[in-house]
Amino acid sequence: MSPRLRVAILGSTGSIGRQALDVASRFPDRIDVVALGAHRSAVLLTEQACRCGVRHVALGDPDAAAGLSGLPAGTARGVGADSLLELAALPDVDVVLNALVGAAGLRVSETALRAGKRLALANKESLVIGGDLLMPLASPGSLVPVDSEHSAIFQCLLGEPRAALERIWLTASGGPFRTRSRSELASVRVEEALAHPRWTMGPKITIDSATLMNKGLETIEAHHLFAVAYDAIRIVVHPQSTVHSMVEFSDGSVKAHLGPADMRLPIQYAFSHPDRWGAPAPPVDFTAVGHLDFEPPDLEKFPCLSLALDAGRAGGTLPCAMNAANEVAVEAFLAGRVRFTDIDSVVETVMATHATVPVSSFEQLERVDAEARGLAEQTAREIAGRTA
């Protein structure tokens, strides 16, 4: 029997991290969870460490460190942003699952790739912000996507000549407001936006799915992951979420990846690749599906998607500024400070102000991120003042 895969799960207390631990619990003879990291959920991180018997834990937020009590004897404990980077480079780790939320995951992805680990990437912002710098660090097979759509594309391309790739069809559920008008979206409540019709995800990505910003971010991610031009990526709304994405080839053939709407499948494949293990979720009953619908996205009703696509095509530092503005705007909406339809207003203002230049370093991207966040915070406050 081959040795167990030694895994570090960063973002273990979030939705993806918790599902990854479920996958690991199903295959104790194949997966050894060596390290767990989180941003601030110290109590849950401690519970996970005790349950899994991990050898290393790290908490990014020092202010939450008091909650890291009762760890198993001998467990190494790190606090602060650098402690997460240390987990990503541990000698006794083979695979790093980066499930951190937002721009905070960028340096983890860089560190894991530089350390020669397999990066199971669930943090799409890493590539949205720093794809120009990260992809040159990735050797063949060292970066396996965890997003359901990108995992689908990755699998559809296995064994196919890249020169034959004609088009990527990136599927979107359409979110909870697919059938509502733009005017109706202004009064959307937070709990409505968090009620995704198909997927169970964390709050940030759920709001991004509701605004369709998530599909814009995924388009930028696909551009970097698969080295395809933006004109060769088509977004299609597929409410059933049975087809996770499709690849069209030069001869007109199309490969589609289908399966249940369960994130444990792409998580598990990122661990098992190139092998396949037993299914972690019930299979799709195609006799009960009934029909599969496809329609174009409504760019006027969901301007966040257009803004993200504009940022991707412009390139340089604009995707970084766009992403930072979106993170701030989503936080403001979740806190009840701005309306749902104000999210795209914040993003648009920051993008219009940003002076785009070519990406040159991770340090440059961190400065752009900080500046964009400051402007986004100011814009959100101004919008809140006008609508109070």
Side-chain angles (χ1 to χ4, degrees):
M1 180 180 292
S2 59
R4 291 194 295 169
L5 194 70
R6 301 171 300 176
V7 174
I9 301 174
L10 306 186
S12 65
T13 59
S15 175
I16 294 295
R18 295 194 303 272
Q19 292 178 83
L21 286 172
D22 180 74
V23 169
S25 71
R26 295 167 184 268
F27 299 98
D29 58 331
R30 292 177 171 175
I31 297 177
D32 178 15
V33 181
V34 173
L36 297 174
H39 177 52
R40 65 168 67 95
S41 301
V43 174
L44 180 54
L45 179 62
T46 300
E47 293 173 0
Q48 291 175 337
C50 291
R51 185 170 70 249
C52 300
V54 299
R55 300 185 282 283
H56 307 269
V57 298
L59 193 70
D61 185 356
D63 293 336
L68 274 182
S69 59
L71 289 169
T75 303
R77 169 184 177 275
V79 175
D82 287 348
S83 67
L84 294 171
L85 303 184
E86 290 168 4
L87 294 192
L90 283 171
D92 55 345
V93 163
D94 305 308
V95 177
V96 175
L97 171 60
N98 184 355
L100 295 168
V101 177
L106 175 61
R107 286 290 196 172
V108 165
S109 293
E110 177 203 5
T111 300
L113 290 173
R114 289 192 187 280
K117 312 299 183 185
R118 180 196 300 176
L119 175 61
L121 187 61
N123 176 260
K124 63 175 61 68
E125 292 86 354
S126 290
L127 291 179
V128 170
I129 297 168
D132 291 335
L133 301 177
L134 286 178
M135 291 310 298
L137 300 178
S139 58
S142 68
L143 201 168
V144 181
V146 171
D147 272 349
S148 62
E149 297 83 355
H150 301 86
S151 177
I153 297 162
F154 182 88
Q155 294 179 61
C156 285
L157 287 171
L158 291 174
E160 298 285 355
R162 287 302 178 93
L165 192 162
E166 185 74 16
R167 186 173 291 107
I168 285 172
W169 290 87
L170 195 63
T171 56
S173 71
F177 308 129
R178 182 174 59 89
T179 60
R180 295 199 193 183
S181 68
R182 176 69 179 177
S183 60
E184 289 175 317
L185 295 182
S187 59
V188 159
R189 301 188 308 275
V190 171
E191 56 268 28
E192 293 179 282
L194 289 175
H196 196 281
R198 294 290 176 182
W199 296 94
T200 300
M201 305 175 291
K204 196 270 181 182
I205 188 174
T206 303
I207 300 302
D208 282 349
S209 294
T211 65
L212 293 197
M213 171 60 84
N214 191 52
K215 210 49 52 178
L217 300 180
E218 289 178 355
T219 301
I220 299 173
E221 183 181 12
H223 163 74
H224 288 293
L225 272 174
F226 306 111
V228 292
Y230 284 99
D231 288 344
I233 303 173
R234 292 283 301 277
I235 298 168
V236 59
V237 174
H238 169 51
Q240 291 84 10
S241 296
T242 300
V243 178
H244 297 310
S245 275
M246 300 172 282
V247 174
E248 181 179 341
F249 296 97
S250 54
D251 63 355
S253 300
V254 178
K255 274 189 179 181
H257 180 283
L258 291 79
D262 191 312
M263 282 304 300
R264 290 175 299 175
L265 273 75
I267 292 168
Q268 180 173 302
Y269 187 73
F271 290 156
S272 70
H273 173 73
D275 299 325
R276 294 187 185 275
W277 301 341
V284 175
D285 180 357
F286 288 100
T287 64
V289 170
H291 54 87
L292 301 175
D293 299 314
F294 302 94
E295 61 191 53
D298 189 331
L299 299 181
E300 292 186 4
K301 187 164 65 176
F302 298 105
C304 277
L305 176 54
S306 289
L307 291 168
L309 295 177
D310 289 345
R313 290 191 175 98
T317 54
L318 189 56
C320 178
M322 176 274 299
N323 178 78
N326 180 63
E327 290 189 23
V328 169
V330 169
E331 288 176 5
F333 170 68
L334 288 170
R337 295 191 287 119
V338 301
R339 299 172 302 179
F340 183 80
T341 49
D342 292 328
I343 294 174
D344 54 78
S345 297
V346 173
V347 175
E348 185 174 16
T349 298
V350 171
M351 286 178 60
T353 305
H354 180 69
T356 304
V357 297
V359 172
S360 59
S361 68
F362 289 100
E363 292 76 17
Q364 173 211 37
L365 292 174
E366 288 171 345
R367 291 193 298 270
V368 169
D369 179 86
E371 291 169 3
R373 286 175 191 276
L375 178 56
E377 289 282 6
Q378 177 186 334
T379 304
R381 287 194 299 269
E382 292 173 354
I383 289 174
R386 292 196 298 268
T387 57

